[in-house]
Amino acid sequence: MWNVGARALAAQAQAQHQEKHEPAAGGAGLSFDLSDEQKAYQDLVRKFAREEIAPKAAHHDKTGEFPWELVRKAFDLGLMNNHIPAKYGGAAMGSLDSVIIGEELAWACSGISTAIGGNNLALAPVILAGTHEQKQKYLGRMTAPITGDGKPLIASYCVTEPGCGSDVAGVQTKARRLKDGSFVINGQKMWITGGGKANWYFVLARTSEDPKPNQAFTGFIVEANTAGVTPGRKEWNMGQRASDTRGITFEDVVVPKENILAAEGAGFKIAMGAFDQTRPPVATGAVGLAQRALDESVKYSMERKTFGKYLYEHQSVGNMLADMAIGVQNARLATYRAAWEIDQGRSNTFYASIAKCYAADVANKIAADAVQIFGGNGFNSEYPVEKLMRDAKIFQIYEGTSQIQKVILNRELVKHRKLGN
């Protein structure tokens, strides 16, 4: 039942996305309504997330087990790899479609949501810059039907290193060209989402000592079973423990020339383009978590009494709830705008950084306020908001810290001013 309904909705979304969305003459322009298809799969994902993911979230948080069963169900529902074009077996969903799905998954558990949606970051460079042959080989295998007890394929994005995170230009992993045009990669990557489960990796490596990032790096597709590729131990993190995070070592890893993305020296541009595509999905994860924290806080405030009143009847608590609602609504709107800009075929760097920075900060503030509203119970792991507070922190760190987003925004503001925009 799940599978049939989801596949039908995915097909509808694909057809909708492929249509040209041109306003009618004198058309309505701005609208805050979701389409019927978007509402339908939002309802479908919400049901799946709340009935299947939420009840298992605490278990995976405590054990750190990778949620293969839920990942498989999400794959069967068409919730994975949904950006892949139809010609390579994907649903060709738009970015706005993706963030609608992502919020619902993250409401249930942002760690499991990351396990389900983590592929998108690795897929983005191939979608943006891959040849037809590369897309057919590496995107096509991600959408291939699974039979029996098979598991969906995972792909990972290898950019961060022990000595650099948001400072992508500081990458030290090196790739040396051989006479036959292939490359040998040596280096270490760190904090790689899905690193121990991946079938293949997108790897950014330095191929030139040129100080200009736009010429110094090259993007590669590396098969996980290539000799010299060694995943490290699973890291035990503060939050989002269902997500598999590891270091990956590349020691004399030979990569054929046909696995170079775009061209030698194009890697930095590809990596930055991928972040523009994937920051709205990260922001929507923060929105989902913030919405969950708000929902739990409202529910608790209507059940718990102090000084003869329900918590929500105390003005101080009521003001906290109001501020939480304001934050959630504004973060969602910023995220939708960043995703919508992608679907219009425009650069979304400015809006993506706003959404990612603001939603991450809001999620952390709201999760902390939820713990405060719960009081002593909020500090206890038997209540849900303690986990939300731990899970929230990473949103201010991965895929560019909140501080880096502000650096980007400052640069974009000056650039647009110079251009007279």
Side-chain angles (χ1 to χ4, degrees):
M1 179 182 72
W2 282 110
N3 193 19
V4 173
R7 293 298 179 189
L9 288 169
Q12 290 176 341
Q14 177 184 322
Q16 179 196 29
H17 181 63
Q18 290 175 338
E19 293 175 357
K20 290 185 178 179
H21 298 282
E22 296 180 357
L30 184 66
S31 171
F32 292 101
D33 284 335
L34 301 182
S35 69
D36 290 340
E37 290 83 1
Q38 288 169 333
K39 291 175 184 176
Y41 60 69
Q42 183 184 52
D43 290 341
L44 180 81
V45 179
R46 182 173 294 169
K47 181 177 175 64
F48 168 67
R50 301 191 182 198
E51 294 182 3
E52 299 280 346
I53 296 177
K56 299 182 174 81
H59 167 78
H60 288 282
D61 178 60
K62 291 174 182 176
T63 65
E65 293 175 12
F66 192 76
W68 276 121
E69 178 187 358
L70 294 168
V71 171
R72 172 63 191 267
K73 288 181 179 180
F75 180 88
D76 290 341
L77 278 169
L79 304 182
M80 293 181 67
N81 313 314
N82 43 46
H83 288 305
I84 293 178
K87 67 189 297 184
Y88 304 111
M93 282 190 175
S95 185
L96 181 56
D97 300 327
S98 181
V99 300
I100 293 168
I101 290 172
E103 180 183 336
E104 298 302 329
L105 294 175
W107 186 96
C109 176
S110 60
I112 294 174
S113 174
T114 299
I116 292 170
N119 281 357
N120 289 336
L121 183 54
L123 299 177
V126 181
I127 293 172
L128 288 171
T131 64
H132 169 68
E133 290 74 22
Q134 289 169 338
K135 291 176 181 179
Q136 196 168 47
K137 182 176 182 179
Y138 291 102
L139 301 183
R141 73 170 65 166
M142 303 303 289
T143 59
I146 301 173
T147 58
D149 295 328
K151 297 174 180 177
L153 295 184
I154 302 297
S156 295
Y157 183 90
C158 292
V159 173
T160 299
E161 297 184 356
C164 71
S166 294
D167 179 19
V168 177
V171 163
Q172 293 301 307
T173 295
K174 291 181 170 58
R176 175 173 53 87
R177 178 187 283 274
L178 301 178
K179 290 181 180 179
D180 63 359
S182 61
F183 281 78
V184 176
I185 299 178
N186 281 282
Q188 187 176 4
K189 299 297 183 178
M190 192 60 194
W191 311 117
I192 305 306
T193 300
K197 311 298 180 184
N199 177 264
W200 57 267
Y201 304 100
F202 165 77
V203 180
L204 187 70
R206 183 178 292 275
T207 49
S208 168
E209 295 304 319
D210 192 310
K212 298 177 182 177
N214 285 337
Q215 300 175 21
F217 302 99
T218 301
F220 299 90
I221 303 171
V222 180
E223 298 272 6
N225 61 3
T226 306
V229 177
T230 307
R233 65 177 174 83
K234 173 182 166 62
E235 299 293 333
W236 188 255
N237 295 325
M238 175 192 291
Q240 296 199 7
R241 293 171 178 165
S243 175
D244 184 80
T245 307
R246 303 176 189 242
I248 311 290
T249 300
F250 298 86
E251 185 175 359
D252 294 329
V253 176
V254 179
V255 181
K257 59 184 178 183
E258 57 265 26
N259 280 29
I260 297 171
L261 277 173
E264 186 175 348
F268 187 82
K269 183 178 180 181
I270 293 170
M272 294 301 100
F275 282 136
D276 283 345
Q277 298 284 320
T278 59
R279 278 173 179 152
V282 172
T284 207
V287 173
L289 185 150
Q291 181 67 63
R292 174 69 178 278
L294 172 59
D295 291 345
E296 296 289 354
S297 297
V298 171
K299 179 175 180 290
Y300 187 78
S301 75
M302 295 173 69
E303 297 169 346
R304 171 81 167 173
K305 282 187 174 182
T306 60
F307 303 101
K309 293 182 178 181
Y310 287 107
L311 288 181
Y312 75 87
E313 295 180 301
H314 294 283
Q315 187 178 36
S316 58
V317 175
N319 286 346
M320 290 174 71
L321 294 173
D323 286 339
M324 293 161 82
I326 291 169
V328 169
Q329 291 296 322
N330 285 336
R332 182 180 292 118
L333 288 172
T335 301
Y336 279 14
R337 175 63 186 269
W340 181 82
E341 288 289 334
I342 296 174
D343 292 341
Q344 306 313 303
R346 297 195 289 256
S347 171
N348 76 327
T349 303
F350 180 75
Y351 295 104
S353 287
I354 288 176
K356 203 277 185 182
C357 181
Y358 184 73
D361 289 351
V362 160
N364 276 269
K365 176 67 165 59
I366 290 177
D369 284 348
V371 170
Q372 192 69 21
I373 288 171
F374 273 67
N377 290 336
F379 195 65
N380 187 279
S381 61
E382 294 301 313
Y383 290 80
V385 292
E386 173 267 347
K387 175 180 179 294
L388 295 177
M389 188 172 178
R390 288 187 289 105
D391 287 347
K393 186 58 191 176
I394 192 61
F395 287 110
Q396 293 178 315
I397 298 172
Y398 62 10
E399 293 209 35
T401 64
S402 293
Q403 289 73 28
I404 285 294
Q405 301 312 314
K406 291 177 181 179
V407 170
I408 294 169
L409 288 169
N410 180 47
R411 185 179 65 216
E412 288 291 303
L413 286 169
V414 172
K415 182 177 76 174
H416 288 296
R417 177 68 176 178
K418 288 180 178 178
L419 293 173
N421 293 340

